[in-house]
Amino acid sequence: SVRAGQHYGNFVDNLRLYVRGGSGGMGLPRLGGQGGKGGDVRVVAQNAVTLKRFKDKYPQKRFIAGVGINSSVRTLRGQKGEDQEVMAPPGITVTNDDGKVLGELNTEGDRVLVARGGQGGSYHSEFLPSKGQTRQIRLDLKLIADLGLVGFPNAGKSSLLIALSHPKPQIASYAFTTLRPEIGKVMYEDHKQISVADLPGLIEGAHMNRGMGHQFLKHVERTRQLLFVVDVCGFQLASKTPFRSAFEAVQLLIKELELYKEDLPCKPAVLVVNKMDLPDAEDKLTELQEQLLNPHEFSHLLPDDMLPKNNMVFRHVVPISAATGFGIAHLKTYIRQSLDKDASMATDSLHRDRLQVNKHVN
């Protein structure tokens, strides 16, 4: 199945590009001179790049390599045309338009040839050059899971993962990262499966690279949607850190995502309010929902440097208790609907993309 261009707000997880190898250079019949080969187009992994920056920098998304130099009396063997290198982030699958995998970019410096240059004119081709290869290709961010759990260490993410999963969650490893997240599978009666990743716990200041924080954030973008998990009664990370209410926890999580990468809060997200079996949970939930409706009225609860720039709108707020199983069935139903809805929107956008490209090509 081909995943189509999913753009939530301005979050980008894949791109389609037009690539063309350079044509070869003309041969020189009377002296048997050979034209230069056309340049090739390669996609090269580079750590500093993101698909969002790439899209902003190259809105046309067209990459054409240089033409081979014609054979001449001075230079019988024409020089090769200039290669074109397209920089993309590591952790990318490169495919053609039919979904056939052309190559993988796992670590910095990995390269995939996507369009060959044409041959220069020579004795075998009656000195006429050939054109370069032309292709539509896709760069897809490799996903760790459909859903990523985001929360502070005591929010109950691992017990939620166990409550959602069948069979038990497994530790997974990937070629493009040293992080080994725990992955659970949610099974549905029609045999559909949805994968959920519990990435190592986020701590305040993760974007400043404390502990695993930065790596964690890097992997949040490798999921289709986010499940924020908070303790309805709030939390205190350590005796030295201040107590945070559920509302403050949500704001801090959004801030961490935003500081790491400004477009991350544009991903679709659901807020899961856990530990509804605790006393006073209902009152606390009501309070949280009021605060989420008017976050600016409660911004005084946090210091300015901990307030997110933009408010994140959750698609749904689901109260649950991972301990008793309350709300789990509703959550399973909702995440399935949410992912299905995005998949159909993505298919529509792929059709529109293809129509646009065909207009340009013809």
Side-chain angles (χ1 to χ4, degrees):
S1 67
V2 176
R3 220 161 29 93
Q6 293 171 3
H7 307 292
Y8 310 112
N10 53 2
F11 186 83
V12 181
D13 74 355
N14 73 64
L15 289 173
R16 289 176 82 235
L17 316 177
Y18 171 85
V19 292
R20 189 168 82 212
S23 297
M26 296 289 286
L28 189 62
R30 60 196 171 92
L31 297 176
Q34 189 169 345
K37 181 181 175 299
D40 301 322
V41 184
R42 284 182 178 77
V43 183
V44 182
Q46 193 177 40
N47 285 334
V49 181
T50 69
L51 289 183
K52 168 83 171 73
R53 282 189 207 138
F54 184 106
K55 187 182 174 217
D56 293 344
K57 190 174 174 184
Y58 306 107
Q60 294 295 314
K61 298 182 294 201
R62 290 170 72 83
F63 298 91
I64 298 166
V67 175
I69 306 300
N70 294 340
S71 169
S72 64
V73 176
R74 276 199 182 147
T75 320
L76 276 181
R77 196 180 190 97
Q79 272 186 313
K80 184 175 188 284
E82 202 173 331
D83 289 339
Q84 170 79 274
E85 293 200 333
V86 181
M87 298 301 173
I92 288 277
T93 305
V94 185
T95 62
N96 69 9
D97 231 5
D98 300 326
K100 179 174 181 280
V101 175
L102 304 177
E104 310 270 345
L105 302 178
N106 286 318
T107 54
E108 183 157 57
D110 283 358
R111 321 162 75 77
V112 176
L113 176 66
V114 289
R116 291 179 189 281
Q119 292 300 325
S122 67
Y123 173 76
H124 301 291
S125 65
E126 297 179 348
F127 301 97
L128 295 173
S130 58
K131 286 184 172 170
Q133 198 175 15
T134 298
R135 262 193 180 139
Q136 305 286 344
I137 63 163
R138 288 166 50 92
L139 306 182
D140 269 299
L141 202 60
K142 292 185 183 190
L143 292 188
I144 283 176
D146 296 311
L147 298 167
L149 297 178
V150 178
F152 290 115
N154 73 327
K157 290 185 300 150
S158 50
S159 44
L160 170 59
L161 192 66
I162 289 165
L164 285 172
S165 298
H166 180 85
K168 277 168 49 187
Q170 304 285 320
I171 300 286
S173 58
Y174 298 90
F176 54 92
T177 173
T178 54
L179 203 62
R180 294 164 62 88
E182 209 169 357
I183 305 281
K185 290 263 195 285
V186 188
M187 309 283 273
Y188 292 87
E189 283 178 5
D190 62 355
H191 305 298
K192 162 105 175 161
Q193 291 185 17
I194 285 173
S195 53
V196 185
D198 179 11
L199 304 161
L202 196 55
I203 54 172
E204 279 185 44
H207 66 279
M208 290 159 65
N209 215 358
R210 292 185 197 151
M212 295 290 278
H214 201 73
Q215 259 195 305
F216 158 80
L217 288 163
K218 205 167 162 180
H219 292 88
V220 169
E221 62 189 329
R222 295 188 181 276
T223 57
R224 294 181 200 275
Q225 296 189 8
L226 303 178
L227 284 186
F228 277 58
V229 187
V230 294
D231 178 337
V232 69
C233 294
F235 75 103
Q236 191 171 8
L237 270 182
S239 55
K240 290 177 187 168
T241 58
F243 174 82
R244 305 280 188 210
S245 69
F247 172 72
E248 291 170 275
V250 170
Q251 301 304 304
L252 288 168
L253 290 169
I254 298 169
K255 181 70 174 173
E256 285 296 330
L257 294 188
E258 198 175 72
L259 285 167
Y260 168 66
K261 192 171 278 187
E262 236 172 272
D263 60 350
L264 265 187
C266 298
K267 273 185 104 69
V270 175
L271 176 60
V272 178
V273 185
N274 193 13
K275 308 197 185 176
M276 288 302 294
D277 53 297
L278 295 178
D280 303 330
E282 284 297 336
D283 295 344
K284 296 246 166 64
L285 176 66
T286 306
E287 184 186 14
L288 170 62
Q289 285 173 316
E290 281 169 18
Q291 290 171 320
L292 288 172
L293 283 174
N294 305 296
H296 302 302
E297 287 180 30
F298 299 93
S299 56
H300 62 275
L301 297 171
L302 282 167
D304 285 352
D305 64 343
M306 290 187 172
L307 284 172
K309 277 190 210 164
N310 299 302
N311 183 24
M312 186 164 190
V313 180
F314 292 101
R315 290 188 165 185
H316 208 41
V317 176
V318 187
I320 66 148
S321 163
T324 67
F326 163 75
I328 296 292
H330 173 57
L331 179 60
K332 283 184 178 179
T333 305
Y334 182 75
I335 55 184
R336 168 80 184 263
Q337 287 169 352
S338 185
L339 285 162
D340 285 351
K341 179 182 157 197
D342 281 347
S344 68
M345 280 165 57
T347 310
D348 293 348
S349 108
L350 177 63
H351 291 317
R352 281 199 302 277
D353 261 18
R354 284 189 171 167
L355 288 171
Q356 287 296 106
V357 168
N358 291 338
K359 268 189 211 161
H360 290 311
V361 172
N362 296 330

